[in-house]
Amino acid sequence: MDSLRRANVSASVAASEPVPSGSALRLRPLRDRAGWRAVGEITSVTCPDWERALERLPLRMTLGKEIVCHLEMSGVTFVDVAGASALAVAAQGLPAERRIVVERPPASLPRLLDMFWPDLSAIEVVAR
């Protein structure tokens, strides 16, 4: 069960990856740009793995001299307030010139960001 809760961080990204069952979250680096691909759910159970990945965003950006980090979330089925809060905190910790582009998130994430962090310019949401 513990292995289901740990984020599986590896260098490869599957083209079409099945969504993990239950409260699992998988995070993999993007091959073509700085960032992560997330698959599963981001809840209080998986939030520690999500937070660890978000903590590494500045490092992934620095390696490629990127000013934008991408979070590809088309495989995420749900994000709760804890997950949205972790994303907001990570964005607030970025240097002024850097930002996070959230691609194709579940509907809950943009609603939470608009509700609790309406003026957070370090996050750009690219809708489905």
Side-chain angles (χ1 to χ4, degrees):
M1 188 66 152
D2 220 21
S3 64
L4 283 177
R5 292 185 181 155
R6 284 202 182 109
N8 179 10
V9 178
S10 74
S12 64
V13 178
S16 62
E17 196 170 335
V19 175
S21 61
S23 295
L25 175 64
R26 280 186 241 169
L27 296 160
R28 298 180 190 257
L30 295 171
R31 288 183 182 176
D32 58 342
R33 58 197 187 271
W36 298 95
R37 182 182 195 295
V39 176
E41 294 180 351
I42 301 171
T43 65
S44 59
V45 173
T46 61
C47 205
D49 296 325
W50 177 239
E51 289 169 343
R52 277 191 291 279
L54 293 172
E55 287 169 2
R56 288 183 237 153
L57 289 180
L59 175 62
R60 290 196 58 79
M61 294 165 90
T62 303
L63 291 174
K65 307 290 187 235
E66 302 281 337
I67 61 167
V68 176
C69 188
H70 299 266
L71 294 175
E72 203 290 312
M73 300 182 72
S74 63
V76 175
T77 57
F78 179 74
V79 179
D80 70 4
V81 174
S85 179
L87 177 60
V89 167
Q92 290 167 340
L94 292 175
E97 70 278 0
R98 297 194 178 200
R99 64 190 171 95
I100 299 170
V101 174
V102 180
E103 301 169 359
R104 301 172 58 199
S108 59
L109 183 58
R111 285 194 298 251
L112 289 167
L113 291 172
D114 286 343
M115 187 181 312
F116 295 109
W117 300 276
D119 299 323
L120 186 56
S121 62
I123 298 176
E124 177 185 340
V125 177
V126 179
R128 291 181 176 235

